[in-house]
């Protein structure tokens, strides 16, 4: 809505927030790659994400899913940096994402929050005043929006958020014939062929430190479990963990290629070609399908 107010009511204005969020998500994926596994070639994980069908599919849709996922990715990155550097502004940012995510997806924010909460407690970030200040600041847009909604339309309009939660938590069109293990086949199918490499990487991260193991193994596993427990199941809910899955895919690809001793040479040869090729492919895709 803000984008349309600035740039006018047109398709360009509608897609600006999604495009910006997608670019931020790719950038943060490369940064998280560097922080968690401490290796060069972090651009590879970002390129894997950019060529994932599920991400591409929602990147050109005017929905809040990519924006929400970018905010969650920002929260992951900020938490990692807060733990490693102890810098105050990262601790502040590790809390600000929560309210911003609530503004977009309300109750769905509980899923990534519950998954990251054990680390916040263990590292004592949650006890820091700056974390709670950031959380409060992050909630300001939601509070202001809620006040305006109530002032204009009354409490009944805002209560629709609660009725929606009750509807989604029961059997509905998005839960019909979708068993508990829905994401076990749906997510791998939507990110194929990277799912094959991510599975290999998923089970080969024990050599990294506890922080890396948490975000590359425990965190996505918790997200999948929490999403599976919720009655409503959709293909786009797991978009929020695609950056971590992309990093796992990189590790799986590296594991296979190193066995043949050509991974490093391959990256060195393609480093100056893979980005232009990806850009050309993206332009071709948008011209043909959008």
């Amino acid at each position: 809505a803000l984008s349309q107010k600035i740039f006018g009511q047109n398709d360009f204005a509608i897609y600006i927030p999604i495009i910006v969020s997608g670019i931020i998500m790719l950038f943060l994926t490369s940064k998280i790659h560097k922080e968690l596994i401490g290796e060069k070639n972090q651009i590879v994980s970002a390129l894997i994400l950019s060529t994932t069908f599920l991400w591409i599919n929602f990147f050109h849709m005017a929905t809040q899913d990519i924006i929400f996922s970018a905010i969650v990715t920002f929260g992951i990155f900020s938490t990692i940096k807060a733990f490693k550097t102890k810098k105050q502004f990262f601790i502040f940012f590790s809390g600000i994402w929560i309210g911003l995510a609530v503004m977009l997806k309300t109750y769905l924010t509980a899923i990534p929050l519950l998954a990251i909460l054990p680390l916040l407690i263990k590292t004592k970030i949650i006890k820091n005043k700056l974390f709670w200040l950031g959380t409060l600041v992050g909630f300001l847009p939601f509070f202001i929006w809620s006040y305006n909604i109530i002032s204009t339309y009354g409490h009944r309009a805002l209560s629709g958020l609660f009725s929606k939660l009750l509807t989604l938590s029961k059997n509905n069109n998005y839960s019909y014939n979708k068993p508990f293990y829905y994401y076990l086949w749906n997510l791998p199918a939507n990110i194929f062929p990277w799912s094959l490499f991510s599975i290999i990487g998923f089970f080969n991260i024990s050599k990294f430190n506890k922080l890396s193991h948490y975000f590359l193994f425990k965190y996505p596993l918790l997200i999948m479990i929490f999403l599976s427990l919720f009655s409503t199941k959709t293909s786009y809910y797991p978009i929020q963990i695609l950056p971590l899955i992309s990093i796992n895919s990189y590790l799986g690809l590296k594991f296979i290629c190193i066995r043949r001793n050509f991974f490093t040479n391959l990256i060195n040869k393609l480093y100056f070609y893979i980005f232009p090729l990806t850009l050309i492919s993206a332009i071709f895709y948008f011209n043909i399908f959008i």
Side-chain angles (χ1 to χ4, degrees):
L2 180 61
S3 178
Q4 290 186 76
K5 283 186 177 181
I6 297 174
F7 300 102
Q9 295 187 1
N10 52 69
D11 290 342
F12 174 74
I14 292 174
Y15 284 101
I16 285 177
I18 289 85
I19 294 172
V20 173
S21 298
I23 293 172
I24 292 174
M25 198 172 175
L26 293 173
F27 174 76
L28 291 176
T29 298
S30 67
K31 289 296 183 181
I32 293 172
H33 171 118
K34 185 178 180 180
E35 294 295 331
L36 292 183
I37 63 180
E39 297 181 2
K40 298 179 180 179
N41 307 316
Q42 60 263 30
I43 191 175
V44 177
S45 291
L47 289 173
I48 289 174
L49 175 60
S50 69
T51 56
T52 302
F53 170 76
L54 181 60
W55 188 87
I56 293 174
N57 192 34
F58 282 86
F59 179 64
H60 72 271
M61 289 187 182
T63 65
Q64 71 272 52
D65 301 294
I66 291 293
I67 306 175
F68 172 78
S69 299
I71 291 175
V72 173
T73 306
F74 175 74
I76 293 172
F77 173 73
S78 299
T79 303
I80 293 171
K81 294 293 288 186
F83 172 73
K84 295 180 71 173
T85 67
K86 311 299 182 184
K87 291 183 178 180
Q88 295 184 347
F89 59 88
F90 281 122
I91 296 174
F92 177 81
F93 289 146
S94 67
I96 199 172
W97 72 272
I98 301 170
L100 297 177
V102 168
M103 181 69 186
L104 285 166
K105 282 288 192 179
T106 58
Y107 302 107
L108 188 62
T109 307
I111 300 295
L113 181 58
L114 287 173
I116 205 171
L117 189 60
L119 183 69
L120 294 175
I121 295 173
K122 187 176 181 180
T123 58
K124 298 182 180 180
I125 293 176
I126 199 171
K127 294 183 179 181
N128 195 297
K129 293 180 180 179
L130 284 172
F131 171 82
W132 291 106
L133 178 62
T135 303
L136 178 62
V137 172
F139 268 101
L140 285 179
F142 180 73
F143 291 151
I144 294 172
W145 174 82
S146 299
Y147 174 78
N148 290 331
I149 289 294
I150 294 173
S151 300
T152 305
Y153 302 104
H155 291 84
R156 190 171 184 178
L158 192 63
S159 66
L161 292 174
F162 300 97
S163 60
K164 181 181 179 181
L165 175 64
L166 294 174
T167 301
L168 294 177
S169 62
K170 300 176 182 178
N171 289 330
N172 54 72
N173 293 334
Y174 296 100
S175 62
Y176 184 70
N177 285 336
K178 293 180 180 178
F180 176 82
Y181 53 85
Y182 169 78
Y183 292 109
L184 292 179
W185 67 264
N186 184 269
L187 180 59
N190 277 319
I191 64 173
F192 186 85
W194 296 119
S195 52
L196 301 177
F197 298 102
S198 65
I199 292 172
I200 298 173
F202 195 70
F203 292 103
N204 283 278
I205 57 175
S206 57
K207 64 179 180 179
F208 295 102
N209 58 44
K210 292 182 178 180
L211 183 67
S212 302
H213 189 268
Y214 186 89
F215 279 108
L216 294 178
F217 184 85
K218 293 181 181 179
Y219 181 88
L221 186 61
L222 286 171
I223 293 290
M224 293 294 285
I225 292 173
F226 292 147
L227 289 177
S228 297
L229 290 173
F230 195 58
S231 178
T232 297
K233 296 176 177 64
T234 66
S235 61
Y236 54 83
Y237 279 175
I239 293 177
Q240 58 186 283
I241 58 172
L242 288 186
L244 302 177
I245 291 177
S246 298
I247 298 172
N248 272 321
S249 299
Y250 166 86
L251 293 174
L253 181 64
K254 177 184 175 182
F255 178 82
I256 294 174
C257 294
I258 274 186
R259 290 298 183 93
R260 300 192 177 189
N261 294 319
F262 67 81
F263 181 79
T264 303
N265 292 330
L266 181 64
I267 293 298
N268 289 335
K269 289 180 180 179
L270 295 181
Y271 188 83
F272 293 103
Y273 301 98
I274 194 168
F275 202 76
L277 288 173
T278 304
L279 182 61
I280 293 172
S281 299
I283 293 173
F284 175 78
Y285 177 86
F286 278 90
N287 285 335
I288 298 297
F289 296 104
I290 296 181

